[in-house]
Structure formats: C-alpha cells, structure tokens
Amino acid sequence: MSDSRFDRRTLLKTAVASLVALPCASLVRRAEADELPHLSEQDSLAVAMGYVHDAHKVDPNKTPQYKPGSFCHNCVQLTGKEGDTWRPCNLFPGKTVNKDGWCKVWVIKPGAKPG
Ligand code: SF4
C-alpha cells in the first residue's frame, strides 16, 4: 500500500515538474532565437546560396531556381516561432533569417502553399 502511494506521489511530482519544465524550455528557445544575430546578405555562405532578406528582390532571369511565392516562411528549413520576423534556419546555424527572405536551397514546407 505504501509503495502504491509512493508511486502516485512520484508520478504526481514528475507530472508537475514536466508542466513547469515545458514552458521554461520554450522560453529558453525563444530567448535564444531572439538573441541570435541576423544573417548578413554579405555573409560568404549567404552570398553562395543567393540569400536575400526580401524574396521580391530576386531576379528570376538571373536566378532560375527562384519560384514566385517562395519565401523563408514557407521553406522546410525554417524553424522557430511562427509569426516571428527573424527566425533560425537549419542552413545558417547561429543566425536568423528574415521570414520574407529566400535562398537557392528553398524547399517548400509540407502542407505549405507558395505565397
Ligand atoms: S534554406 Fe529556406 S529558410 Fe533557410 S534561408 Fe534558404 S529559403 Fe530561407
């Protein structure tokens, strides 16, 4: 009987700790993303990938990989919080990219529509 109570107590403590830890982890991730520097368009990898902060500035004649309606915000590589203007990208670790940006590695996020 006491073992059963101990198990319930342990389960309750674990559940409470989890409920406290989840929002804290989310806040830490959010703070980390807010602290990351913005990727510069002059960064050597950004230049190599054709990254721009504003996809509307991509010249389709010079960049045939560009498809109208493709943006960082509908790319599978973008992480972070939906709605934030500057978010982490798997391609540029330690930096954030503009949600309206674009680069040659763009791949549509499953379920997203171009635009
Ligand atoms: S990989 Fe995707 S999210 Fe990252 S910079 Fe390129 S287009 Fe934007």
Side-chain angles (χ1 to χ4, degrees):
M1 177 108 170
S2 64
D3 284 342
S4 173
R5 264 199 287 175
F6 175 76
D7 288 342
R8 269 188 253 141
R9 187 176 301 147
T10 302
L11 183 65
L12 185 61
K13 282 182 181 177
T14 303
V16 169
S18 299
L19 288 173
V20 171
L22 283 173
C24 288
S26 175
L27 287 173
V28 168
R29 275 196 304 274
R30 177 68 188 267
E32 287 171 354
D34 288 345
E35 292 167 8
L36 293 175
H38 298 174
L39 176 67
S40 166
E41 291 179 348
Q42 283 74 47
D43 176 283
S44 58
L45 182 57
V47 170
M49 295 298 115
Y51 171 80
V52 290
H53 296 316
D54 181 355
H56 295 108
K57 293 182 179 172
V58 178
D59 182 350
N61 296 321
K62 293 181 182 170
T63 314
Q65 302 95 329
Y66 174 74
K67 294 180 181 71
S70 54
F71 297 93
C72 291
H73 66 76
N74 57 21
C75 174
V76 72
Q77 298 295 345
L78 195 68
T79 64
K81 186 174 176 274
E82 196 74 37
D84 282 357
T85 301
W86 293 91
R87 294 168 57 185
C89 165
N90 292 327
L91 193 66
F92 301 102
K95 305 276 175 66
T96 52
V97 299
N98 193 292
K99 69 176 180 60
D100 294 326
W102 180 88
C103 86
K104 293 176 185 173
V105 181
W106 180 87
V107 174
I108 195 160
K109 181 171 50 177
K113 293 179 182 164

